[in-house]
Amino acid sequence: MSPKVLSAARRLSAMAMVAYFGMSFRKGAVTAFSFATFAGRSTGTRGTSTLASSAHPAFAPRTPLRRTGVDVCMSTAVAEKSDIEKAMDVEHPAYEVIRKDFVQEYGAATTLYRHKKSGAELLSVASDDDNKVFGITLRTPPEDSTGVPHILEHSVLCGSRKYKTKDPFVQLLQGSLQTFLNAFTYPDRTCYVVASQNEKDFYNLVNVYADAVFHPRAISDPMVHAQEGWHLELEKKEDPLIFKGVVYNEMKGVYSSPDSLLNRAAQRSIFPDTTYGVDSGGDPKVIPDLSFEQFAEFHSKFYHPTNSRIYFSGDDDVYTRLELMDEYLQEFDFSPESKPGSVVEWQKKVYTEPKKEQYPYPVGADQPETHMVMVNWLMNDRPLTSFEELTIGIMDHLLMGTSSSILRKTLTESGLGEAITGGGLSDELLQATFSVGLKGVKPEDAPKVEQLIFDTLDKVIAEGFEEDDIASSMNTIEFELREFNTGSFPKGLSFMLGAMSKWLYDESPTEALKFEKPLAELKAKIAESGSQVFQDMIKEFIVDNKHRTTVELVPSRTLEAEELKEEEDRLAAIKASLSDEELEEIIEKTRKLKELQAAEDTPEERATIPALELKDLKRENTEYPIAVSENESGSGVTVLRHELASTSGIAYATLGVDLSGLSVDDIPLLPIFTRIMMETGAGEYDQVALSRQIGIHTGGISVSTLTTAVHPEGSDEDKVLDGTHLQTKLTIRGKATSDKTDKLFSLMELILTEAKIDSKARIVEMLKEQRSRLESSIRGSGHAAANMRMKARYRVGGYVDEMMSGITQLEATKELLKQAEEDWPSLLARLENMRNAILNSETCRNGMFLDITGDAGVLEKIQPSVDSFLQELPGKSDGAKLPNFYKEEHPWVPRLKELMAERVPMEDEGFVVPTQVSYVGKGGLVFEEGETVTGAAQVVARFLRTGYLWDYVRVMGGAYGGFCTFSPYSGFFSFLSYRDPNLSKTIDVYDAAADAVLAAAEQLKNDPDALAQAIIGTIGDMDGSMSPDQKGYTSLQRWLINESAEYRQNYRNQILDTKPEDFKAFGERLKQLKQPSVAVVSSQGAFEAAAKDGKNMKLKTVL
């Protein structure tokens, strides 16, 4: 067994970005997601290490283990069942029970049912989790790259038999307390998932999704296929034809990313004969080959209940689940051809010799012409045992899991490239693959990369892994499996994705979730023969495996222009082949589609969407416990404690150290400085040994920065901050079981004080990797770069963020790399001065805090370790005091203001990258310093995002995402688009938004239900589920910014009491947006076209 639940949880933070900003996630198995939102809730942290080896589990399951279930056979040694276990015995006349199983690892009682009439399978998971999850998954293996499963995934949610609006998905986004609402396409399946902590809301979501999947409007209305997939657009006969469509433009963005091109080419290369060899997301060159008839036929073939796998989990009633789904399933008869027709065929290892393939990728004028190289293996062409799956997962961690893992480290330090590609194991599909390589490779070094990979693997087979490496990786995986920390995302979703890795292929859904038996077996093997089990795996599945490909991408400065011309020529040829009547028909279809898209749903149609009422909401804001102990035990350090009901024996700790003593000129070094602290070794430990110590003794340690504007003492929290009062901290975060916190604290102190910052070769490699990551980020997530750039123009805090994460950071990284290579002593001196300033013995303790989250037992048990840690920290306990940043301006502010005026002036900017799409941003201040902001502003901003911008940027404009952001602290408001085919038109949409808000204000006077839905959705954003560490960290952040519980409650009250007049007031402010400015990431051609429309920007080539 592989740790499938863990794999799913690891990908959830990426899913969040997908959902919130509409990004497509490729690593692993997911091809694409529907654009949705998690309301920007914070994601969970991923630990990098784990629990010390022990004969006993560190964490008991949430429900006491009473029995182990296999099929229907249950142990009779139990006198009494828990309520959760009783749920396995629920029966319903419409279903037969296939299997009952209690998954002891997660305290989950599961029953697998089969609906007698339709043949649908339903997995019911009963647990004490109030974050209830529902999902429908269908096997949808495509035969070509038209993207039909992806287009259908989008289209299914555009109205159904019972729910008549043109986009019920949006209505759910607007007025639900959902904690997850999305759909996603894999190469072989499509998943529709909802979650909510509110039972009424949950069943509303379930009903809408179930009706959408089985009875979508899309299969009878070609306009949906045209909107979500592709269509020819023409408004005037003399205009050129263009391709338009949400998925079409989304995938143009994907195919603009070199990383995506590499991953797709690699998958095609190792799956030449099966569905995995085509792109379920869709190739933009092939998408226009998909007809409406083929689209509808795909639904008919694969969306029958017989081919479905339906999932429920949480604390709701099992019989209610079964009854609800029976209402949808009972009208379908069993379809004998559905499951056989969707079987995913095995790719046999047919290569007798490894294959090599080469493809071009687009580079910009300022980019070096380097290659990307990746070696890929198809690991298995037979089912793996649970033991093999787990062992391969640990093997992957040993090779690639951390920066000190042997294969990753060897490649990174080789000097042959700038950053790792591939990432190792992907095991969420029928067959596992392993891919690794480098990008930023000189042409003559490409063969050397391939050879280095082989040599390193041969060395591992010959020499094996060190005992400490094995202990570290084993403990890392075990800690994560037992902690089961999915952050703010539903545990049930992670459970579902893990179960699907077996269930989808007609195996037991629960076997993929059990790790105790294979883990014990693996531990026994290691005790018997040490590293040999991993050496044997590497030899069998990788080194001796001839089904291997090497994919090399070569740079092309003309590829972008060539593909654009190819599309223009194709469209010109189509137009030339059409008669005048046919052109008029396209013009008429274009008009009708735009008319349909602009049309409002009728009140009767809206009334079909089930909704909550305001009375269903709780008025009280959720607060998390905090106890503040200043100068604890005379240490000079402030200690904060968050005592929660249960943290499963884990202590979560954050050490904060003040950064105000740093020079402003060194702020851009902080990202690399924090990486150096973790990745070059510390004290007696080199890089590898430090990683081992973290892995063996803790659940992970990370170093980052935390900078935020704060409320000055005595200020009115409702008013916009001037941004000159800041808290700037370096934070070291870690977690461990309570009996290991002494080691956790010891490692944190060592990393803080004795990190090896003098490793030139390693730091040069890190800077190259950082440059590559930033370039990929700006190219693939240009909306984030644009937003950061705009915020940098208005507040010093925004500029600090841009200096550390945005386009300014990319520029700084390039300069730092040059300095490291050409003048290492001066860069080393800067790094040493930074550490000296941070650890100034006179002031550092005064600026420190230690934040701890745990349950009562944990907090009591770790207190001696806390006392020792406080005494061992650097600095004088009675040293000088730092300025009170809640009263005084932060010392960085004057210099930051000078740099802002010089480097990020208030002007419209365009950043040129090789891409087929645009990321369009426009922002400004809707509230100025000292003006009062109420919670109602949040309601209006959200209304804009899920209404007007969705309709005009996404639905009518064809972009994959259109949204806005608003900060009540700074008064800053921004419009953003993602993978947008337009530039100039999108800015026009932004400019008309204020009038749309004013019109909405009038409409809402006569539509209290719509206003209520806007309020409910906003409250839903605030009330997401959190893991224990997130609760503690949220409480820390609230304390740090000096925000009171009274303010939070008042803000919530203002949201709940929002009136139409608040929309009018916000609309008037938006119409008079102060100091508006634009930032866009796009291609040179798009900027030239925008200039012809009068949208002139100062252009800068980034890539």
Side-chain angles (χ1 to χ4, degrees):
M1 166 212 145
S2 75
K4 302 289 185 180
V5 180
L6 174 61
S7 296
R10 284 175 174 174
R11 290 176 172 87
L12 282 172
S13 61
M15 290 165 114
M17 294 304 294
V18 171
Y20 190 53
F21 290 123
M23 287 184 267
S24 180
F25 180 65
R26 192 71 182 102
K27 174 64 179 85
V30 183
T31 300
F33 289 77
S34 283
F35 174 89
T37 177
F38 291 97
R41 298 188 187 110
S42 58
T43 59
T45 55
R46 176 185 167 192
T48 54
S49 334
T50 116
L51 184 75
S53 295
S54 169
H56 304 285
F59 309 100
R62 292 182 298 155
T63 304
L65 175 61
R66 299 280 178 87
R67 63 170 77 88
T68 299
V70 181
D71 291 341
V72 235
C73 301
M74 309 299 293
S75 168
T76 58
V78 179
E80 184 180 345
K81 297 179 180 178
S82 69
D83 288 342
I84 288 176
E85 288 175 297
K86 289 176 183 176
M88 289 193 293
D89 298 330
V90 174
E91 296 184 357
H92 188 287
Y95 300 82
E96 60 182 328
V97 175
I98 303 174
R99 182 181 296 114
K100 300 178 183 180
D101 200 356
F102 189 86
V103 182
Q104 66 178 42
E105 287 84 346
Y106 301 109
T110 74
T111 307
L112 182 62
Y113 299 91
R114 180 182 292 115
H115 190 257
K116 294 176 182 177
K117 190 169 186 292
S118 68
E121 291 184 3
L122 187 153
L123 180 65
S124 175
V125 180
S127 70
D128 59 4
D129 189 356
D130 70 344
N131 202 4
K132 292 163 276 290
V133 175
F134 166 77
I136 300 180
T137 299
L138 306 114
R139 271 200 313 236
T140 53
E143 297 178 352
D144 55 40
S145 294
T146 58
V148 58
H150 184 193
I151 296 169
L152 192 55
E153 171 228 304
H154 280 245
S155 303
V156 154
L157 299 170
C158 294
S160 65
R161 185 173 67 181
K162 284 170 63 176
Y163 304 109
K164 303 295 188 180
T165 64
K166 62 184 180 182
D167 209 337
F169 186 61
V170 179
Q171 274 79 58
L172 295 177
L173 285 177
Q174 290 171 340
S176 168
L177 298 178
Q178 53 84 20
T179 55
F180 193 98
L181 184 72
N182 217 315
F184 31 99
T185 304
Y186 287 72
D188 60 6
R189 76 198 79 155
T190 308
C191 305
Y192 298 87
V193 185
V194 300
S196 180
Q197 293 169 288
N198 180 289
E199 188 167 295
K200 178 181 176 181
D201 186 50
F202 177 62
Y203 286 119
N204 287 346
L205 298 172
V206 172
N207 274 292
V208 174
Y209 261 50
D211 199 61
V213 167
F214 297 125
H215 305 290
R217 172 173 67 97
I219 59 173
S220 59
D221 185 352
M223 287 298 190
V224 178
H225 168 253
Q227 172 183 290
E228 298 297 321
W230 76 276
H231 63 275
L232 289 169
E233 184 166 295
L234 187 66
E235 293 186 344
K236 300 175 184 175
K237 195 177 292 187
E238 62 270 21
D239 290 344
L241 273 177
I242 60 172
F243 287 129
K244 221 38 174 322
V246 173
V247 169
Y248 177 77
N249 289 311
E250 173 194 347
M251 298 312 294
K252 285 188 81 171
V254 171
Y255 275 69
S256 295
S257 162
D259 291 321
S260 292
L261 291 173
L262 181 63
N263 287 330
R264 280 165 163 73
Q267 181 153 315
R268 285 196 306 269
S269 72
I270 51 178
F271 290 104
D273 305 317
T274 75
T275 189
Y276 298 149
V278 300
D279 192 343
S280 63
D283 182 336
K285 294 179 181 178
V286 185
I287 288 173
D289 295 338
L290 179 68
S291 70
F292 173 72
E293 290 73 24
Q294 292 169 320
F295 167 81
E297 172 59 27
F298 194 88
H299 182 275
S300 175
K301 181 177 181 180
F302 293 115
Y303 276 62
H304 191 281
T306 306
N307 189 44
S308 70
R309 287 149 183 85
I310 301 166
Y311 173 90
F312 281 90
S313 69
D315 61 358
D316 57 312
D317 180 68
V318 172
Y319 193 88
T320 303
R321 300 171 175 175
L322 301 174
E323 185 75 6
L324 187 157
M325 286 312 302
D326 181 48
E327 293 177 16
Y328 291 95
L329 300 174
Q330 62 185 342
E331 64 182 276
F332 293 92
D333 292 321
F334 178 76
S335 171
E337 68 275 6
S338 279
K339 276 195 173 179
S342 70
V343 166
V344 179
E345 299 294 338
W346 285 83
Q347 172 66 60
K348 294 299 181 183
K349 293 182 179 180
V350 295
Y351 296 160
T352 55
E353 292 296 330
K355 303 283 186 182
K356 293 192 177 184
E357 299 181 6
Q358 194 176 80
Y359 303 94
Y361 78 96
V363 294
D366 288 355
Q367 281 185 287
E369 295 192 27
T370 55
H371 291 212
M372 303 172 73
V373 180
M374 191 157 76
V375 184
N376 317 280
W377 287 267
L378 174 65
M379 297 191 72
N380 62 303
D381 58 0
R382 61 167 176 82
L384 299 174
T385 66
S386 295
F387 170 78
E388 287 175 325
E389 287 183 333
L390 178 64
T391 305
I392 287 172
I394 303 290
M395 177 202 77
D396 174 59
H397 194 272
L398 283 162
L399 291 172
M400 297 290 296
T402 72
S403 62
S404 64
S405 297
I406 184 167
L407 185 54
R408 179 179 290 273
K409 183 174 185 290
T410 301
L411 286 169
T412 301
E413 295 181 354
S414 67
L416 295 175
E418 295 184 355
I420 295 288
T421 61
L425 176 69
S426 175
D427 63 354
E428 288 187 316
L429 301 177
L430 177 65
Q431 295 171 262
T433 62
F434 190 91
S435 298
V436 64
L438 286 170
K439 56 184 174 180
V441 178
K442 294 177 182 176
E444 63 271 21
D445 287 340
K448 298 177 186 176
V449 173
E450 190 178 28
Q451 191 59 49
L452 181 60
I453 293 169
F454 302 149
D455 291 346
T456 305
L457 293 171
D458 286 338
K459 180 181 179 182
V460 171
I461 291 173
E463 301 177 6
F465 295 101
E466 295 286 340
E467 184 178 340
D468 280 354
D469 285 328
I470 296 171
S472 178
S473 289
M474 288 287 290
N475 294 338
T476 294
I477 301 301
E478 186 175 350
F479 189 102
E480 292 183 336
L481 285 167
R482 297 192 187 283
E483 184 192 21
F484 196 30
N485 187 342
T486 60
S488 48
F489 305 110
K491 289 181 185 293
L493 171 56
S494 183
F495 199 96
M496 185 196 96
L497 296 177
M500 209 58 65
S501 64
K502 293 290 187 184
W503 191 16
L504 191 79
Y505 309 114
D506 301 316
E507 298 181 54
S508 165
T510 53
E511 286 308 304
L513 304 164
K514 297 178 180 179
F515 58 83
E516 293 290 9
K517 183 180 177 182
L519 184 61
E521 187 179 349
L522 179 56
K523 286 181 177 180
K525 278 278 189 185
I526 293 169
E528 176 187 319
S529 58
S531 174
Q532 193 61 48
V533 63
F534 300 111
Q535 293 164 258
D536 292 345
M537 287 279 181
I538 293 171
K539 181 175 173 58
E540 177 184 353
F541 291 103
I542 301 180
V543 171
D544 289 347
N545 180 359
K546 298 297 185 188
H547 197 98
R548 182 184 84 223
T549 65
T550 299
V551 175
E552 183 176 355
L553 295 195
V554 299
S556 170
R557 298 205 189 279
T558 61
L559 182 62
E560 181 188 355
E562 289 168 6
E563 291 186 335
L564 181 62
K565 184 169 190 311
E566 181 183 334
E567 180 179 301
E568 290 174 346
D569 290 347
R570 179 181 182 182
L571 287 162
I574 293 172
K575 187 178 182 184
S577 70
L578 299 174
S579 65
D580 284 350
E581 292 76 13
E582 289 170 322
L583 289 174
E584 288 295 342
E585 185 178 344
I586 293 174
I587 292 171
E588 179 61 14
K589 285 183 178 179
T590 299
R591 185 193 65 77
K592 283 185 176 179
L593 179 59
K594 289 182 180 294
E595 187 178 88
L596 175 69
Q597 291 169 332
E600 295 287 337
D601 294 314
T602 67
E604 292 77 17
E605 289 168 337
R606 288 189 64 91
T608 65
I609 306 298
L612 295 175
E613 300 174 74
L614 290 176
K615 66 181 181 181
D616 295 317
L617 307 182
K618 66 182 184 76
R619 198 161 189 101
E620 299 74 27
N621 196 61
T622 301
E623 296 293 333
Y624 304 110
I626 183 169
V628 181
S629 173
E630 296 182 356
N631 189 25
E632 178 155 329
S633 302
S635 64
V637 179
T638 297
V639 179
L640 301 93
R641 292 178 175 84
H642 314 282
E643 183 180 322
L644 303 179
S646 173
T647 58
S648 300
I650 304 175
Y652 299 94
T654 301
L655 175 67
V657 186
D658 193 76
L659 293 173
S660 63
L662 291 180
S663 163
V664 168
D665 294 338
D666 287 333
I667 292 174
L669 271 77
L670 282 169
I672 196 66
F673 184 82
T674 55
R675 280 195 66 192
I676 290 168
M677 291 176 69
M678 286 298 301
E679 297 184 26
T680 57
E684 65 184 288
Y685 303 118
D686 63 13
Q687 175 192 351
V688 174
L690 179 62
S691 179
R692 288 172 180 165
Q693 288 293 307
I694 292 170
I696 290 171
H697 297 291
T698 81
I701 296 175
S702 63
V703 183
S704 59
T705 56
L706 194 167
T707 64
T708 180
V710 301
H711 294 287
E713 287 185 9
S715 65
D716 185 342
E717 293 176 73
D718 287 328
K719 295 188 183 302
V720 171
L721 303 173
D722 65 6
T724 62
H725 296 268
L726 303 172
Q727 283 286 3
T728 52
K729 303 290 183 182
L730 180 144
T731 60
I732 305 177
R733 300 181 69 182
K735 55 187 174 182
T737 52
S738 57
D739 60 339
K740 286 286 187 176
T741 50
D742 54 344
K743 189 65 176 179
L744 171 68
F745 289 146
S746 173
L747 289 168
M748 290 170 72
E749 194 266 342
L750 189 71
I751 289 166
L752 174 65
T753 59
E754 297 185 49
K756 300 180 187 295
I757 59 177
D758 59 352
S759 176
K760 175 183 177 180
R762 177 68 184 124
I763 290 170
V764 166
E765 293 303 324
M766 289 164 66
L767 285 166
K768 288 180 179 178
E769 185 178 47
Q770 183 164 292
R771 179 182 64 187
S772 178
R773 285 180 181 174
L774 286 164
E775 288 176 344
S776 295
S777 174
I778 292 167
R779 192 176 200 161
S781 304
H783 61 294
N787 199 41
M788 211 174 298
R789 186 68 168 198
M790 291 187 294
K791 288 197 290 186
R793 301 166 184 158
Y794 300 93
R795 293 286 186 267
V796 290
Y799 184 50
V800 169
D801 290 343
E802 220 270 338
M803 291 173 80
M804 291 197 292
S805 304
I807 291 169
T808 300
Q809 172 62 203
L810 174 59
E811 296 167 346
T813 299
K814 292 176 180 178
E815 292 171 2
L816 290 170
L817 177 57
K818 183 179 180 182
Q819 185 179 13
E821 291 177 325
E822 298 177 3
D823 189 8
W824 168 247
S826 68
L827 179 58
L828 177 59
R830 291 179 71 183
L831 294 170
E832 290 173 337
N833 288 338
M834 288 175 68
R835 181 159 66 186
N836 291 337
I838 292 169
L839 299 181
N840 182 303
S841 61
E842 287 295 326
T843 58
C844 72
R845 286 208 181 197
N846 182 250
M848 283 184 184
F849 64 76
L850 175 63
D851 184 80
I852 307 168
T853 299
D855 54 43
V858 167
L859 294 178
E860 180 180 359
K861 186 173 182 179
I862 71 171
Q863 188 55 45
S865 299
V866 172
D867 292 337
S868 298
F869 185 45
L870 293 176
Q871 298 308 313
E872 293 167 3
L873 285 168
K876 297 178 180 178
S877 59
D878 58 350
K881 292 188 179 299
L882 290 167
N884 182 345
F885 298 122
Y886 300 102
K887 288 184 177 179
E888 300 180 35
E889 182 179 274
H890 195 282
W892 289 355
V893 169
R895 176 61 178 155
L896 285 171
K897 287 185 174 179
E898 291 177 5
L899 291 173
M900 288 168 66
E902 175 186 334
R903 298 180 183 176
V904 285
M906 203 68 64
E907 62 185 6
D908 295 344
E909 293 180 288
F911 300 98
V912 179
V913 302
T915 181
Q916 300 179 54
V917 292
S918 297
Y919 303 87
V920 185
K922 182 171 184 176
L925 300 177
V926 286
F927 293 88
E928 294 187 289
E929 176 188 330
E931 292 187 320
T932 298
V933 183
T934 73
Q938 208 72 50
V939 180
V940 184
R942 192 180 192 281
F943 183 88
L944 257 181
R945 174 162 57 87
T946 59
Y948 173 80
L949 292 173
W950 177 283
D951 289 340
Y952 284 85
V953 177
R954 185 189 189 278
V955 175
M956 286 182 261
Y960 190 30
F963 32 88
C964 59
T965 73
F966 171 65
S967 169
Y969 302 108
S970 66
F972 175 77
F973 182 94
S974 63
F975 298 99
L976 298 163
S977 71
Y978 181 79
R979 290 182 181 161
D980 193 342
N982 307 305
L983 197 168
S984 178
K985 287 181 180 178
T986 298
I987 294 175
D988 291 339
V989 169
Y990 298 161
D991 291 342
D995 289 332
V997 174
L998 292 171
E1002 290 301 311
Q1003 293 167 0
L1004 292 172
K1005 290 179 181 178
N1006 302 310
D1007 194 349
D1009 289 341
L1011 178 59
Q1013 294 309 295
I1015 293 169
I1016 291 167
T1018 307
I1019 291 294
D1021 289 352
M1022 300 171 66
D1023 289 353
S1025 178
M1026 287 189 182
S1027 59
D1029 58 317
Q1030 287 180 314
K1031 292 176 182 177
Y1033 198 69
T1034 296
S1035 185
L1036 164 66
Q1037 290 174 309
R1038 291 172 172 179
W1039 170 80
L1040 195 64
I1041 66 174
N1042 195 29
E1043 183 185 85
S1044 68
E1046 291 77 17
Y1047 166 75
R1048 289 189 289 274
Q1049 185 60 57
N1050 287 337
Y1051 195 77
R1052 186 182 186 92
N1053 292 343
Q1054 291 161 358
I1055 289 172
L1056 290 166
D1057 296 336
T1058 298
K1059 302 290 188 293
E1061 292 76 18
D1062 297 311
F1063 278 71
K1064 181 180 180 182
F1066 192 93
E1068 289 171 346
R1069 284 183 171 274
L1070 192 58
K1071 204 168 183 66
Q1072 301 299 321
L1073 188 67
K1074 303 294 194 307
Q1075 298 177 289
S1077 66
V1078 168
V1080 177
V1081 176
S1082 192
S1083 64
Q1084 182 71 38
F1087 285 120
E1088 290 170 359
K1092 293 176 182 178
D1093 292 335
K1095 309 293 194 305
N1096 293 294
M1097 298 165 220
K1098 181 179 179 181
L1099 299 186
K1100 182 170 188 175
T1101 299
V1102 177
L1103 302 178

